[in-house]
Amino acid sequence: MFKSFSIGVQGKIAVLLLLVVASLCWLTHSVLRPQLLVAVEEQLSKGFAVKLDELEKLALTEGGALSERWFVQAQQLVAPDNIFLVGRKADSQLHVLNGDSERLLSANEVLVTYLDSAVDTYSWIEHGPQGALFGAIALPPDPESGRRYLILQRNIADWEAIFYGVVQRYFLGLFVVLLLFFGALAVLFWRKVRVRLQHMVQVSEAVAQGDLTARTSMPTDDEIGQVAAAMNTMMQRIQASQEALLNNNRQLDDILHHIPSWVFIKDLQGQYILTNRRFDEAFSERGPLVGRTVYDVVEPNDADRFVEYDQEVMASKQAISRRVSIVREGEEHQLLLVKFPLLDVNDAVYGICSVVTDLSNVEQTENLLNISRSIFENTREAILITDVDRKILDVNQSFERITGYTKSDVVGLDPNFRASGKTQDGVYRGMWQALEAYGHWTGEVINRRKDGQEYHERLSINSIMGRDEVVTGYIGIFQDITEEKQVSENLTKLAYRDPLTDLHNRESFKIRLADTVSYAKRYRSSFGVLFIDLDHFKEVNDTQGHDFGDQLLVMVAERLRGNTRTVDVVSRLGGDEFTVLVPGEVTESGLAVLANQIITVLSAPFVIEKQKVMIGSSIGIAIFPRDGDDIELLLKHADAAMYNAKAQGRGCFSFFDFNINARNQRMIKVKHALRSAIEDKEFSLVYQPKVNPAQMTLTGYEALIRWDSAQLGPISPAEFIPIAEESGEIERITDWVLQRVATDMQVSNVLDRSNVSINISAKQFRSDAWINTLRELDANNLINAHAITIEVTETALVDSFDKTLEQLQALRDLGATIAIDDFGTGYSSLSYLKKMPIQYLKIDRSFVKDIGVDPDDQTIVQTVIVMSHALGIKVIAEGAESQEQVDFLSAQQCDEIQGYYFAKPMPLQDLAKFSLQEPAEA
């Protein structure tokens, strides 16, 4: 096809060239020649007489011959017309002058040259001696080259013949040039046509191979370009049709595979020819279903029914709907079955499509909705639901009970109508910011009941999301925590004030001390710390009783307040230990005066119940920053100085002096021995039982480390654990404890079915090493994390709350239990308690030991148990040594008790011998 078309184009090109050549010949002979002659005659006639007369006059004056004078005058005569070529006759020769050069031209020769000047036509004649007549004419400018031709001829009468000869002389050359030009043009044209045709062939072949994106790229200014444009349009339409078809197929495929029903197509022989994903998943145990029949999928009885339905559809050519039940995996499923025929163009059935919906999930959903409604109505927490505009839609019965408002009172109102004005605006701003950013918020607000009474709410709000992930409303759940807040406030007071003396307690003192350290560092000032220990108080307390001792402590507090300044912070750390924080610039002499004054007033007799009591005091003094630049170091050094004062005979004071701190030497020895204790196998574990007092059953054991140093002998954990924390050895010790507990639980028939508590130092929470060890042991089945309780002191909560919270949450994810150890003696007994994922709270032995003796301790223990239970936290009391203590703790519903009353810590081999039948000797 393309070859024949190419030959046609070549023929057209040849014919076109012949027509062009013929036209040129005709134009030259019939048109150009007469026009040129007419133009020459007209131009020669213009001004010819003037020039002739002037030249003849010049010739006559010179005797009929041209002279140099004539030549110059003739040159001057014609110079204003910008003719730069003139000639003269001499010796039968024509001298032609152009500028300064001159050449000869024979009498019979015709000169054709050109001028570059823009002048009008010009002619001149000369009569020589022989009567020869010469003429010259400058033709108009060539329109293409801009050149002007000058023709010289000997006789005006012979001009036509000579000019025609000139034209004939140059025509053959012109013809050859034109022929070569148009031949080259034809070759270039053919090459261009051939390249474009080849490009169209390549595009056609690409389309034939399936590449519908192939396109021609050529102009449309001729027939070939228009054919190419038509091809592009056709391919664009084909591609668009293909993409539309593919999109439709994808949409149908998505619908088929995501519809929450079974969809399948069977041929007339009952074989599956297409199944969707839901159907394949429902019967995945049957393997691939395409090519199989219903008898390969369900029970024969059910299959017979489905075959009958298929036959009914094929016979009627109508869709049918049936509700059927089948048994799958021992469960009955209610199905909604829809079948319809697939017809070809001849209205003949070629297949059957079935859509099956399992209604069992719908029934389950209805049951869940009923259950949810029951929970909504009967839960003790108040629930309210609002729309997206914060208008109340529904409330439950607990809402009515807590607030006093009925459902009809509040529907359509903004929940904020209950606001008391006591909640800060920032809380509400943070609430809505959190809801917008995260979709939930939890916090506490103060609202007002219908009777005007204020109450505290612990409120949790969650956004309700629609199917398109757009908020459609909010659900709020809250509890009335008014009583809890009152208990918390009382405990807060207990946390920061000594209930007996109303002095600052240990926690409050450390806070004030920390603030004073910060201030002193900022302003480069000093302050003093006095650590006071009462002399002989224990003897008075033991002989006169705890009530008597409490009265004495109250009087001591009054004397301390009366002999210190208002800015001084007087605290009772516990027992008979007091401290005085003396802020401002201090000197040794000034602190010595104060210490002597305190020693004097405390040495004076106290009259209690008409009895005179004599006690004394020993005081240690530390100065910031000389003796330490942090609270721990200052207290430590003040305490060391106090013991040095006692060693000097009591009733005196001592400034801290590094030279007299003999305990430092002991610390150095212990620190050095710790480095090799693990390698030398000097550590061991003992286990102390924990008992449920209500059921008198064992609930677990606490693993306690013991150190029998080869160099220093037995060393108490109270001595070496702080040193290990300071030196960094605590990480290795903790790792050893975890590994040893794992080993003991594997070999012991007692521990393998018990819960074991492990103490983790607050310093350990600065890294994840210990929790990684526990996680690795659990992953390797060397320990069961669900059987482990991690005990952590409150100090860890203050040092790095966020890091500690993260690790405790990781523990909960492992399944481990978490207990707060030594509760009430640390930095923040309550501030972070409700935020931590803890299950147990362990009351420190310092509160337990005075049960039955100190009413304040009993009140603290009782309050802690009530508060913990209110927060859903169980309580363990440690240090129980007497029947009285156990009875009191049991009466207060303490969940677990640990102490010498039941058992001392014992080695692993003795656990199997232990029995709760007889209490241990204290």
Side-chain angles (χ1 to χ4, degrees):
M1 173 181 177
F2 292 107
K3 185 175 182 181
S4 63
F5 179 80
S6 300
I7 292 175
V9 173
Q10 292 177 357
K12 291 180 179 180
I13 295 173
V15 172
L16 178 63
L17 291 176
L18 290 175
L19 290 175
V20 170
V21 172
S23 299
L24 290 173
C25 293
W26 176 83
L27 180 65
T28 303
H29 181 75
S30 302
V31 179
L32 183 60
R33 175 174 169 273
Q35 293 295 329
L36 288 176
L37 291 176
V38 171
V40 167
E41 291 174 357
E42 291 178 353
Q43 295 298 329
L44 288 175
S45 63
K46 290 180 180 179
F48 202 95
V50 177
K51 299 298 180 183
L52 179 61
D53 293 340
E54 293 177 354
L55 291 175
E56 285 179 345
K57 290 178 181 179
L58 289 172
L60 292 175
T61 59
E62 295 297 329
L66 293 174
S67 64
E68 290 297 329
R69 182 174 176 273
W70 176 91
F71 174 75
V72 173
Q73 291 179 356
Q75 190 177 28
Q76 292 175 350
L77 178 66
V78 299
D81 295 327
N82 292 323
I83 299 300
F84 300 108
L85 182 62
V86 297
R88 61 189 175 89
K89 180 73 168 50
D91 301 327
S92 300
Q93 291 182 333
L94 180 66
H95 292 254
V96 181
L97 180 64
N98 187 6
D100 296 332
S101 62
E102 182 178 339
R103 56 178 294 236
L104 296 178
L105 185 68
S106 65
N108 297 324
E109 185 178 359
V110 176
L111 172 65
V112 179
T113 183
Y114 64 89
L115 298 175
D116 289 330
S117 60
V119 300
D120 296 330
T121 58
Y122 168 75
S123 64
W124 60 273
I125 59 174
E126 175 190 350
H127 292 280
Q130 293 83 13
L133 182 65
F134 288 83
I137 182 171
L139 298 180
D142 186 340
E144 291 184 359
S145 65
R147 295 176 173 178
R148 311 183 76 167
Y149 291 88
L150 177 66
I151 302 174
L152 303 177
Q153 187 179 343
R154 63 183 178 83
N155 195 327
I156 297 300
D158 297 332
W159 169 253
E160 179 180 354
I162 295 173
F163 181 76
Y164 186 70
V166 172
V167 172
Q168 288 179 335
R169 184 183 307 170
Y170 287 98
F171 176 76
L172 180 61
L174 177 63
F175 175 77
V176 172
V177 171
L178 290 174
L179 184 62
L180 292 176
F181 171 74
F182 284 105
L185 184 63
V187 171
L188 293 176
F189 179 73
W190 164 237
R191 287 184 178 179
K192 182 177 180 181
V193 171
R194 185 176 181 183
V195 169
R196 296 170 73 186
L197 292 176
Q198 287 178 345
H199 176 59
M200 293 174 63
V201 170
Q202 293 173 355
V203 172
S204 300
E205 292 176 349
V207 173
Q209 294 175 0
D211 183 10
L212 296 181
T213 61
R215 298 287 186 274
T216 62
S217 56
M218 58 182 67
T220 59
D221 53 356
D222 56 12
E223 290 83 354
I224 297 177
Q226 293 173 358
V227 171
M231 287 180 60
N232 288 341
T233 302
M234 177 181 66
M235 289 183 290
Q236 287 175 354
R237 292 177 178 176
I238 295 175
Q239 184 181 7
S241 299
Q242 184 190 45
E243 291 177 352
L245 183 60
L246 290 175
N247 287 333
N248 290 335
N249 287 339
R250 280 193 293 267
Q251 291 174 357
L252 291 175
D253 185 68
D254 289 341
I255 294 172
L256 184 66
H257 286 81
H258 292 90
I259 187 173
S261 300
W262 306 340
V263 181
F264 51 86
I265 298 176
K266 294 190 289 186
D267 59 18
L268 299 181
Q269 288 72 42
Q271 293 183 339
Y272 296 107
I273 60 176
L274 184 145
T275 60
N276 74 338
R277 185 178 62 188
R278 293 298 181 102
F279 187 65
D280 293 337
E281 292 174 351
F283 299 96
S284 59
E285 73 278 1
R286 308 291 187 183
L289 299 178
V290 175
R292 306 176 73 176
T293 68
V294 67
Y295 289 96
D296 299 319
V297 177
V298 299
E299 298 297 327
N301 293 335
D302 296 329
D304 291 339
R305 280 189 297 160
F306 295 139
V307 170
E308 292 177 1
Y309 298 149
D310 292 342
Q311 293 173 350
E312 181 181 350
V313 171
M314 288 188 291
S316 66
K317 294 184 181 180
Q318 299 292 326
I320 65 170
S321 176
R322 299 287 187 273
R323 181 161 180 166
V324 298
S325 63
I326 63 172
V327 177
R328 291 185 58 246
E329 299 177 354
E331 295 182 359
E332 183 177 2
H333 291 257
Q334 297 294 325
L335 306 178
L336 176 61
L337 174 66
V338 177
K339 287 180 175 287
F340 55 91
L342 301 177
L343 305 176
D344 59 18
V345 294
N346 298 320
D347 200 36
V349 177
Y350 70 86
I352 300 172
C353 181
S354 301
V355 180
V356 183
T357 304
D358 191 344
L359 300 179
S360 303
N361 292 334
V362 176
E363 293 179 352
Q364 292 176 0
T365 301
E366 292 177 352
N367 292 334
L368 289 176
L369 288 175
N370 292 331
I371 293 173
S372 299
R373 188 65 191 179
S374 177
I375 294 173
F376 177 79
E377 292 296 341
N378 296 289
T379 184
R380 291 186 58 82
E381 285 78 14
I383 302 175
L384 72 157
I385 301 173
T386 74
D387 60 16
V388 71
D389 297 322
R390 308 175 192 174
K391 303 301 181 184
I392 297 177
L393 300 176
D394 198 3
V395 296
N396 67 349
Q397 296 176 0
S398 294
F399 178 91
E400 297 177 343
R401 173 178 52 83
I402 293 175
T403 66
Y405 291 101
T406 63
K407 179 177 178 179
S408 60
D409 292 335
V410 300
V411 169
L413 299 180
D414 190 307
N416 198 39
F417 81 92
R418 301 175 297 119
S420 64
K422 297 293 183 65
T423 304
Q424 296 181 357
D425 293 339
V427 174
Y428 293 115
R429 286 196 299 270
M431 172 195 301
W432 292 111
Q433 289 173 0
L435 286 172
E436 292 176 1
Y438 310 109
H440 59 85
W441 177 85
T442 300
E444 295 182 2
V445 296
I446 303 174
N447 281 331
R448 197 182 303 275
R449 306 184 204 273
K450 188 174 182 179
D451 60 8
Q453 181 182 3
E454 294 178 357
Y455 70 100
H456 292 262
E457 282 184 8
R458 181 178 292 117
L459 175 62
S460 176
I461 305 178
N462 288 273
S463 300
I464 302 174
M465 309 299 293
R467 293 183 179 180
D468 53 357
E469 296 300 318
V470 174
V471 176
T472 60
Y474 303 94
I475 179 170
I477 302 175
F478 64 86
Q479 299 171 308
D480 182 355
I481 59 170
T482 304
E483 294 183 1
E484 180 183 323
K485 293 294 289 185
Q486 292 174 351
V487 172
S488 177
E489 290 174 0
N490 293 334
L491 289 177
T492 301
K493 183 177 181 180
L494 291 175
Y496 296 104
R497 305 296 293 190
D498 179 56
L500 177 62
T501 63
D502 200 33
L503 297 176
H504 294 279
N505 64 2
R506 178 187 296 270
E507 181 69 20
S508 179
F509 173 74
K510 287 187 175 181
I511 293 174
R512 297 298 185 92
L513 181 58
D515 292 341
T516 306
V517 168
S518 299
Y519 181 89
K521 287 181 177 180
R522 185 181 304 115
Y523 296 101
R524 298 183 180 181
S525 61
S526 63
F527 64 87
V529 175
L530 277 64
F531 199 106
I532 305 169
D533 186 83
L534 301 181
D535 297 332
H536 311 298
F537 173 79
K538 189 175 184 304
E539 290 84 343
V540 173
N541 196 53
D542 291 341
T543 56
Q544 302 295 328
H546 290 288
D547 290 340
F548 194 92
D550 288 347
Q551 295 182 55
L552 178 58
L553 291 174
V554 171
M555 291 182 178
V556 168
E558 291 175 352
R559 293 188 183 185
L560 289 175
R561 273 194 294 258
N563 288 273
T564 54
R565 302 174 302 172
T566 304
V567 295
D568 297 337
V569 179
V570 182
S571 307
R572 180 191 176 205
L573 299 186
D576 59 351
E577 293 180 340
F578 296 83
T579 57
V580 178
L581 173 61
V582 185
E585 290 292 341
V586 296
T587 61
E588 282 195 1
S589 59
L591 293 174
V593 171
L594 177 60
N596 271 323
Q597 182 177 341
I598 292 174
I599 291 173
T600 301
V601 298
L602 294 182
S603 299
F606 293 88
V607 178
I608 303 173
E609 298 177 359
K610 300 181 181 181
Q611 297 185 44
K612 287 187 179 181
V613 179
M614 300 288 293
I615 60 172
S617 61
S618 299
I619 302 176
I621 305 173
I623 300 177
F624 176 92
R626 185 189 69 183
D627 300 329
D629 58 359
D630 61 70
I631 61 175
E632 296 294 340
L633 200 57
L634 282 171
L635 281 177
K636 179 180 178 181
H637 289 171
D639 183 55
M642 183 271 294
Y643 277 104
N644 183 64
K646 282 187 175 293
Q648 293 177 2
R650 302 186 180 185
C652 62
F653 65 88
S654 173
F655 286 95
F656 175 77
D657 187 346
F658 289 95
N659 295 327
I660 65 173
N661 190 9
R663 288 191 301 170
N664 286 345
Q665 299 299 323
R666 167 75 174 180
M667 182 184 67
I668 293 173
K669 293 179 181 179
V670 171
K671 184 184 297 185
H672 179 76
L674 272 174
R675 297 174 183 173
S676 59
I678 294 177
E679 290 74 9
D680 295 341
K681 299 180 179 180
E682 295 177 352
F683 288 130
S684 63
L685 289 183
V686 294
Y687 296 90
Q688 187 173 30
K690 293 182 291 184
V691 178
N692 182 332
Q695 301 176 358
M696 286 304 293
T697 57
L698 285 173
T699 59
Y701 297 86
E702 180 180 6
L704 302 170
I705 190 170
R706 296 292 183 262
W707 181 21
D708 189 3
S709 172
Q711 300 177 8
L712 305 175
I715 303 176
S716 168
E719 181 180 2
F720 74 79
I721 290 297
I723 297 175
E725 290 176 338
E726 183 182 353
S727 64
E729 287 293 323
I730 192 65
E731 290 191 7
R732 296 179 63 231
I733 294 174
T734 301
D735 188 74
W736 178 89
V737 170
L738 291 171
Q739 300 279 357
R740 185 56 180 269
V741 168
T743 301
D744 289 351
M745 293 182 75
Q746 290 178 345
V747 301
S748 172
N749 293 329
V750 177
L751 293 182
D752 65 348
R753 57 179 182 272
S754 301
N755 183 281
V756 177
S757 298
I758 301 174
N759 291 280
I760 300 296
S761 165
K763 304 291 184 181
Q764 288 291 89
F765 284 86
R766 296 177 181 175
S767 73
D768 296 329
W770 68 275
I771 198 170
N772 290 334
T773 299
L774 181 61
R775 185 180 290 112
E776 182 179 353
L777 292 172
D778 181 71
N780 295 328
N781 295 322
L782 298 177
I783 199 171
N784 183 4
H786 290 77
I788 297 298
T789 295
I790 298 298
E791 295 188 8
V792 55
T793 62
E794 293 173 295
T795 307
L797 308 183
V798 174
D799 287 347
S800 179
F801 175 74
D802 293 337
K803 181 69 173 177
T804 301
L805 179 60
E806 177 184 345
Q807 293 181 347
L808 293 184
Q809 190 58 55
L811 278 177
R812 294 296 299 132
D813 293 341
L814 282 175
T817 304
I818 303 171
I820 299 297
D821 196 12
D822 299 337
F823 180 75
T825 63
Y827 291 100
S828 56
S829 58
L830 293 173
S831 56
Y832 297 119
L833 187 59
K834 63 181 180 181
K835 301 179 183 179
M836 306 300 290
I838 63 173
Q839 289 76 49
Y840 282 91
L841 187 149
K842 206 166 185 180
I843 300 176
D844 186 66
R845 65 179 65 249
S846 63
F847 299 108
V848 175
K849 70 178 181 178
D850 288 336
I851 289 177
V853 178
D854 189 342
D856 292 331
D857 285 345
Q858 292 183 179
T859 301
I860 292 174
V861 171
Q862 182 179 8
T863 303
V864 168
I865 294 175
V866 171
M867 180 270 299
S868 298
H869 286 171
L871 296 176
I873 301 173
K874 295 183 179 181
V875 178
I876 304 174
E878 62 178 347
E881 299 181 358
S882 67
Q883 182 69 51
E884 184 180 11
Q885 295 168 351
V886 172
D887 291 342
F888 177 81
L889 293 171
S890 299
Q892 302 304 318
Q893 298 182 355
C894 182
D895 299 281
E896 296 180 14
I897 300 176
Q898 178 182 345
Y900 281 15
Y901 177 81
F902 292 109
K904 295 180 179 180
M906 61 189 78
L908 181 67
Q909 60 270 19
D910 293 344
L911 294 182
K913 306 174 185 178
F914 173 71
S915 173
L916 280 177
Q917 295 179 356
E918 295 293 337
E921 295 182 0

